[in-house]
Amino acid sequence: MYFWLRENWTLDCTVTGTPDIGNDEIDFLAGSPLRAPIEKPIIFNSNFKCGDQPHHYFDYGTCIPAVSRKFIDALISANVDNFEFFPAVLKGADQQWSDYFALNVLGMVDAVDVDSSIYDEVMGGDEDGMPPLGIFTAIALYEERICSLEFFREPIGNNLIISERVFDKLVELLPGGIMGVVAHEVVLT
């Protein structure tokens, strides 16, 4: 079983916009290692206020996913090692949280079963092999293309896909479960 993770878009408090990292060529959603220098810490503006407890995973409204230290620790505890993380700060109006990181997942797996998925196409693909870009309501993946991978992105919506084992570790180790995150079960075909 696999899950597609996304930030809970119904919450009032979140990261507001993509941080300026000083280089437009850096892509945190491509599934590749980042080689260019990055200004650190990466500053994520947010609408959290003093006394709030930001959640553990942010991907809505930003092209750079942000995660808590506890999220990173849970991945490491689950023996996930195909990611890079960079120091980040969540900056609210009157408080900052420095135990956050920009997350770069290493691995893009072209396993989406487009015919069995439900999504709105935002931009069409091309004959050179670039897949269409879309916003999913339901994701279906070809099981044979996943192999035994447990943590990766898919290329149409750049969504984070995780195995049930990794998901269970996140729920076990994150305070309050996986607060602020919606996990949709992926259909395997």
Side-chain angles (χ1 to χ4, degrees):
M1 182 181 300
Y2 284 83
F3 295 94
W4 144 48
L5 288 191
R6 70 170 176 81
E7 182 179 352
N8 184 346
W9 301 337
T10 66
L11 298 177
D12 292 332
C13 295
T14 190
V15 164
T16 55
T18 299
D20 179 6
I21 56 174
N23 187 336
D24 291 338
E25 299 300 313
I26 297 173
D27 188 351
F28 276 78
L29 301 178
S32 302
L34 302 179
R35 301 289 183 225
I38 299 171
E39 296 175 14
K40 295 177 250 176
I42 297 170
I43 306 297
F44 288 87
N45 291 318
S46 77
N47 56 3
F48 287 100
K49 296 176 181 54
C50 187
D52 287 346
Q53 177 54 57
H55 42 280
H56 300 287
Y57 180 79
F58 299 92
D59 71 350
Y60 182 68
T62 180
C63 291
I64 303 175
V67 297
S68 69
R69 161 54 78 186
K70 289 177 172 48
F71 192 98
I72 295 291
D73 291 344
L75 292 177
I76 292 168
S77 177
N79 295 316
V80 172
D81 62 2
N82 60 317
F83 63 94
E84 299 173 319
F85 58 102
F86 303 88
V89 171
L90 295 186
K91 184 177 178 183
D94 50 6
Q95 185 174 349
Q96 293 188 49
W97 295 265
S98 59
D99 55 344
Y100 282 82
F101 297 87
L103 178 70
N104 184 36
V105 177
L106 303 177
M108 179 76 72
V109 178
D110 187 8
V112 177
D113 178 347
V114 175
D115 294 331
S116 299
S117 296
I118 302 170
Y119 74 102
D120 292 323
E121 190 172 287
V122 176
M123 181 175 73
D126 64 25
E127 57 277 347
D128 293 328
M130 185 174 110
L133 178 64
I135 299 171
F136 284 96
T137 303
I139 299 177
L141 299 175
Y142 293 112
E143 190 169 9
E144 73 274 1
R145 292 187 189 173
I146 295 171
C147 303
S148 61
L149 298 172
E150 295 195 277
F151 187 76
F152 59 92
R153 289 198 175 285
E154 55 76 25
I156 295 177
N158 292 317
N159 293 293
L160 179 58
I161 309 294
I162 65 172
S163 69
E164 181 178 20
R165 188 188 69 77
V166 173
F167 177 77
D168 289 345
K169 187 59 78 169
L170 290 171
V171 170
E172 173 191 338
L173 295 179
L174 294 177
I178 197 158
M179 167 182 85
V181 176
V182 175
H184 300 277
E185 188 175 338
V186 170
V187 174
L188 296 177
T189 60

